[in-house]
Amino acid sequence: MREEALAHPVVGHLFLARLASGELPARPALRGFARRYRTYSRRFPEFLRATLGVLRPGHRRLLQDNLDEESGRYGDAELAALASAGVEAEWVVGVPHPELFERFAAAVEAPSQPCPSTDRWCDALLALCWEGPAQAVGALGFGTEAIVSSMYASFLPALERGAVSPRDGVFFPLHVVVDDDHTASLEAIGRDLDPHRMRGAMLRALELRGQFFDELLAELD
């Protein structure tokens, strides 16, 4: 199922391809993304808590590390991997991920304003997470965490072109490095769950993200 998620068109969405190649001017593209995405980033811990709420205790323990990292807590192995990627511990330790995203948004001078379409995406994703364990793991695991490292890698060259400092843009390399471990935990949980329900939720989550990028690209063009 992970392979299917990584082959989904959203992973190579035209916005990501044009951002990575430099076809889109970096600063306006990053600013537009930050304005629309900040609600999703802020609400991501809700999706994790909802997923934890529908899992049985043994599965819940496997996912707890994800929530710890969202709060800025890392183990020695994660910190070593981040250091190898040029991420300094003082940039991220003790800093919740939504705050890291806000740091990036401030660096690109993204306006803070409501984004109803992102609110609708978040509400739909949260509803999937509350439907049941298979749906939650399908949506948040295979439909989200499995693609994050590939998706966020498209931002790395744009951050340099947009003159965002490594500290201010750390949200992206951080997720490129640590999110594969998150996916492994969710895959382990998924082996005990209904694959048809998981796949349906995964595809819906990927579709929702694709709609987000479609709207963002239309705004920028």
Side-chain angles (χ1 to χ4, degrees):
M1 203 174 296
R2 184 179 187 181
E3 289 74 15
E4 183 179 7
L6 288 170
H8 192 277
V10 74
V11 179
H13 192 279
L14 186 58
F15 168 78
L16 297 172
R18 291 176 64 186
L19 181 70
S21 70
E23 183 180 345
L24 286 175
R27 195 77 175 185
L30 293 172
R31 184 181 299 118
F33 173 81
R35 182 183 70 81
R36 285 177 167 267
Y37 203 70
R38 69 196 327 158
T39 297
Y40 174 89
S41 173
R42 187 179 69 248
R43 293 186 63 181
F44 189 81
E46 286 184 57
F47 311 144
L48 271 177
R49 287 192 291 269
T51 300
L52 286 166
V54 298
L55 293 177
R56 65 180 191 237
H59 288 162
R60 202 176 298 143
R61 284 192 293 272
L62 287 173
L63 194 60
Q64 185 61 46
D65 285 348
N66 296 33
L67 193 58
D68 289 344
E69 287 182 6
E70 283 293 318
S71 301
R73 296 192 292 272
Y74 306 90
D76 291 340
E78 288 84 4
L79 290 173
L82 289 168
S84 297
V87 174
E88 296 187 19
E90 65 182 23
W91 297 348
V92 297
V93 171
V95 185
H97 289 187
E99 290 186 25
L100 294 178
F101 191 85
E102 284 299 323
R103 182 191 296 171
F104 158 71
V108 296
E109 302 175 313
S112 180
Q113 55 190 224
C115 188
S117 62
T118 306
D119 285 329
R120 290 192 293 271
W121 172 26
C122 291
D123 290 343
L125 185 57
L126 185 62
L128 279 173
C129 292
W130 278 119
E131 278 188 27
Q135 293 91 332
V137 171
L140 196 67
F142 296 104
T144 302
E145 295 283 322
I147 68 167
V148 159
S149 60
S150 297
M151 182 185 67
Y152 284 168
S154 298
F155 285 81
L156 302 184
L159 293 172
E160 294 185 12
R161 293 195 309 273
V164 178
S165 73
R167 179 183 179 276
D168 288 341
V170 73
F171 177 89
F172 297 94
L174 169 68
H175 284 82
V176 170
V177 172
V178 304
D179 270 48
D180 282 344
D181 288 340
H182 296 182
T183 306
S185 298
L186 287 156
E187 284 180 335
I189 296 168
R191 296 189 190 105
D192 298 331
L193 303 174
D194 184 328
H196 300 292
R197 291 180 178 176
M198 275 196 299
R199 183 173 182 272
M202 174 191 78
L203 293 175
R204 178 59 177 151
L206 292 168
E207 176 190 9
L208 289 165
R209 188 177 292 270
Q211 291 170 1
F212 169 85
F213 282 132
D214 288 345
E215 293 170 2
L216 172 58
L217 189 58
E219 178 185 272
L220 294 170
D221 281 342

